[in-house]
Amino acid sequence: MARALYPGTFDPIHNGHIDIAVRASVLFDEVIVAVYDAPPKKLLFDTADRCDLARAAFEHVPNIQVVTYEGLTVECARELKADVIVRGLRNVADFEYEQQIGWANSELAPGIELCCLFCSSEYAYLSATILKEVANLGGECGAWAPAYVLDALGRKLERPIRNNAPKLYLRHEDKLVHRD
Ligand code: ADP
């Protein structure tokens, strides 16, 4: 049985993250989405909100659970008995970052493998930063995050968020999983 840890800031979770986690849930028996509690960067959402939004994203996927963690990712992986750390790759910059931190992590925790999945092409340019900036400037965000994430962004930014996307579905083990 293989358990994967998918760590990140998820400020907030978006369709690129969701795509990676759901694809990992097909590859591994269990996926633990680990929301980093105190990253060294300024965040829009607090930890509880980032966790709640992530939980809403995966409530229909039985082998994905969401936790928060502080400190070293490899310590979290060890404590949760994860075999693998999953990360998403969008571009060369992600690759170089993940390669470096992956080697550091394998020095710190030799038994834990790194599994990098290429992002799906439609999310190659998407980041939480782009999502927040476009949302704040009134651009269309419907293809980038589920409706409840956009609603939460609207409350946080105190402005309406444009969402003209049709309802989206994800495929999980041959079932269509409603994502909004
Ligand atoms: P971090 O702060 O560590 O970059 P993020 O919350 O931004 O964490 O992202 C968590 C993980 O999701 C990382 O592996 C990141 O590369 C991946 N990721 C971010 N955006 C996308 C995307 N558009 N498609 C696929 N993976 C992504």
Side-chain angles (χ1 to χ4, degrees):
M1 170 154 145
R3 179 178 295 158
L5 187 82
Y6 178 38
T9 309
F10 307 112
D11 182 46
I13 195 156
H14 56 62
N15 290 347
H17 298 132
I18 295 170
D19 176 63
I20 294 286
V22 170
R23 285 165 52 207
S25 78
V26 178
L27 295 174
F28 301 103
D29 299 292
E30 285 177 31
V31 175
I32 303 172
V33 173
V35 177
Y36 190 37
D37 195 9
K41 53 187 181 187
K42 196 171 169 295
L43 300 179
L44 183 63
F45 290 95
D46 66 23
T47 306
D49 287 345
R50 287 182 286 129
C51 250
D52 286 348
L53 293 172
R55 288 207 173 96
F58 303 119
E59 68 181 354
H60 299 296
V61 188
N63 64 334
I64 300 182
Q65 55 167 305
V66 177
V67 301
T68 61
Y69 77 105
E70 294 176 329
L72 287 173
T73 301
V74 286
E75 284 306 326
C76 173
R78 265 203 201 105
E79 275 168 28
L80 297 173
K81 301 198 182 339
D83 308 286
V84 174
I85 292 174
V86 168
R87 298 283 288 174
L89 295 183
R90 284 162 292 192
N91 48 39
V92 172
D94 278 354
F95 171 81
E96 288 184 346
Y97 177 75
E98 296 301 338
Q99 184 184 46
Q100 188 177 20
I101 202 154
W103 276 329
N105 282 342
S106 69
E107 194 71 25
L108 294 168
I112 299 175
E113 282 294 344
L114 172 64
C115 173
C116 289
L117 299 178
F118 285 118
C119 71
S120 297
S121 56
E122 67 258 48
Y123 304 128
Y125 60 86
L126 180 59
S127 67
T129 303
I130 295 256
L131 170 63
K132 287 179 282 192
E133 280 179 12
V134 172
N136 200 29
L137 295 170
E140 169 62 40
C141 296
W144 295 344
Y148 46 82
V149 172
L150 301 181
D151 290 345
L153 262 175
R155 287 192 295 276
K156 196 55 96 177
L157 299 172
E158 297 181 344
R159 59 156 303 141
I161 306 297
R162 284 181 57 193
N163 175 9
N164 293 319
K167 285 197 183 302
L168 292 174
Y169 294 83
L170 281 178
R171 184 165 287 281
H172 177 70
E173 290 180 348
D174 283 340
K175 292 194 194 82
L176 283 177
V177 178
H178 187 207
R179 195 161 55 183
D180 285 341

